Amino acid sequence: MAAALTCIGAMAQPKVYFTKDISPESLVKIYKALGVEAQGRVAVKISTGEGGNTHYLKPTLIRNLVDEVGGTIVECCTAYGGSRQDVGKHWQTIHDHGFDSIFAVDIMDEYDQIRIPVQDRRHIKYDIVGGHLANYDFMVNLAHFKGHAMGGFGGVLKNASIGVASTAGKAYIHSAGKTDDARLAWSKENLAAGPTQDHFLESMAAAAQAVHNYMQGRVIYINVMNNMSVDCDCDGHPAKPELQDMGIMASLDPVAVDQACLDKVFSYQGRPGDDNKPLIQRINRQHGTYITDYAEQIGLGSKKYVLIDIDKR
């Protein structure tokens, strides 16, 4: 098993690596820039995309990186119906999107789920994840950075929390610990009396920390900033991206890399045909930036970072 990485909570000014080039070669280059070798049984956590969605990270883009780390693509079922809550439909979607023809793929909650400890128990008392998470020694959290209808945005924190959670785990996080029954989580009664938005975001941060701790820090975090619709890859009919592709960010610190992406989007000088305002409005509507505030507060990582442009090396 790989040696444990440095404790994120003790890191000062974590490094976030950046490249403008979004290509198979650059994904490998930025992975190597992190200076940590993925060892043992490697899970590559991505979103394989809802049926009908075309914005997810394509197999051809990520192939070189997955081959480099000898990884298995891992996913979990959703909690809202659609083409990925049912295991059979999920496998069909994975096939339709071309993943199983190139990679080994594992739906981690296909057969079972496990509860893992949570450090921050303000809302959730444990995290419910796909049972196969126990089969892996190392994780490459390979996220598509974009908007999200409920979280405001999705990056590595969402990919670690909602993404690794089983169907029941997703319901548990979305309801901030009130129920692990997906039918109840989306009922009119629960939605009417459900958690505040901040409680949901706090629950996501806690679940992301639970996964990081369960892997004993053996995780690297990568955000690909392309096809940045205001809608997530979990949406079968996402809005067309209005913001042009920006590049790839990577770090050993999940808070830092999500914050770096947020900073880049918010500080961007948009223009006609390349407009950051719709994505910013979606993030602000859902108080999305609060997740990095809270994740830092509970010790998952740092919002302060050193940005290193590997294109200038």
Side-chain angles (χ1 to χ4, degrees):
M1 185 177 286
L5 304 183
T6 303
C7 174
I8 281 182
M11 291 176 67
Q13 296 287 298
K15 297 176 181 178
V16 176
Y17 296 88
F18 170 72
T19 176
K20 288 184 179 179
D21 183 45
I22 302 175
S23 68
E25 294 76 19
S26 285
L27 272 173
V28 173
K29 183 179 179 181
I30 206 165
Y31 156 68
K32 290 184 175 180
L34 292 170
V36 173
E37 182 181 358
Q39 296 182 20
R41 297 161 296 183
V42 179
V44 180
K45 176 62 187 76
I46 65 165
S47 170
T48 51
E50 190 68 14
N53 189 294
T54 59
H55 297 159
Y56 58 90
L57 301 180
K58 303 301 188 294
T60 49
L61 173 63
I62 69 173
R63 181 173 187 170
N64 289 9
L65 176 60
V66 179
D67 287 347
E68 177 72 25
V69 301
T72 297
I73 298 295
V74 300
E75 261 275 51
C76 284
C77 292
T78 62
Y80 51 79
S83 71
R84 292 184 298 147
Q85 183 172 349
D86 174 84
V87 171
K89 290 180 181 179
H90 197 165
W91 275 118
Q92 185 61 52
T93 302
I94 288 168
H95 178 74
D96 292 344
H97 289 176
F99 288 97
D100 61 342
S101 63
I102 298 177
F103 311 113
V105 181
D106 180 9
I107 299 178
M108 292 193 293
D109 63 338
E110 181 173 8
Y111 301 109
D112 61 359
Q113 59 189 13
I114 57 175
R115 293 181 179 184
I116 64 174
V118 172
Q119 182 175 323
D120 175 63
R121 295 165 58 87
R122 181 175 182 183
H123 304 294
I124 59 174
K125 308 309 178 188
Y126 42 78
D127 190 21
I128 313 171
V129 301
H132 290 180
L133 182 65
N135 297 337
Y136 297 97
D137 305 308
F138 195 101
M139 179 177 287
V140 177
N141 182 327
L142 180 56
H144 175 207
F145 186 89
K146 70 290 177 191
H148 189 270
M150 298 187 74
F153 78 96
V156 297
L157 291 171
K158 177 180 176 292
N159 199 36
S161 55
I162 297 295
V164 176
S166 65
T167 295
K170 288 176 171 64
Y172 191 56
I173 295 167
H174 272 286
S175 67
K178 288 183 170 60
T179 181
D180 61 8
D181 187 325
R183 294 168 299 178
L184 295 178
W186 308 121
S187 68
K188 291 181 180 179
E189 294 78 12
N190 188 68
L191 290 174
T196 67
Q197 177 66 7
D198 283 358
H199 290 175
F200 162 54
L201 296 171
E202 288 167 358
S203 299
M204 277 209 294
Q209 184 179 47
V211 171
H212 185 88
N213 290 348
Y214 181 80
M215 298 301 297
Q216 300 178 58
R218 300 183 185 98
V219 191
I220 61 173
Y221 296 93
I222 303 173
N223 273 330
V224 180
M225 303 179 74
N226 71 343
N227 294 320
M228 287 182 286
S229 169
V230 298
D231 296 315
C232 181
D233 297 345
C234 60
D235 191 325
H237 304 283
K240 181 180 178 180
E242 298 183 57
L243 178 63
Q244 296 299 307
D245 297 351
M246 288 186 168
I248 305 170
M249 299 269 196
S251 182
L252 303 181
D253 184 320
V255 179
V257 73
D258 269 2
Q259 187 63 49
C261 291
L262 288 169
D263 290 345
K264 192 163 187 65
V265 168
F266 275 74
S267 64
Y268 188 68
Q269 298 299 313
R271 56 186 182 275
D274 185 13
D275 190 1
N276 59 340
K277 290 193 295 294
L279 182 53
I280 291 174
Q281 289 167 358
R282 171 60 58 88
I283 294 169
N284 287 340
R285 188 189 77 183
Q286 299 303 110
H287 197 201
T289 59
Y290 177 60
I291 192 171
T292 56
D293 295 338
Y294 191 75
E296 182 182 57
Q297 179 182 323
I298 63 176
L300 178 54
S302 171
K303 289 175 57 180
K304 297 180 180 179
Y305 55 88
V306 176
L307 189 65
I308 300 172
D309 188 338
I310 64 173
D311 297 334
K312 297 179 179 179
R313 287 185 165 184

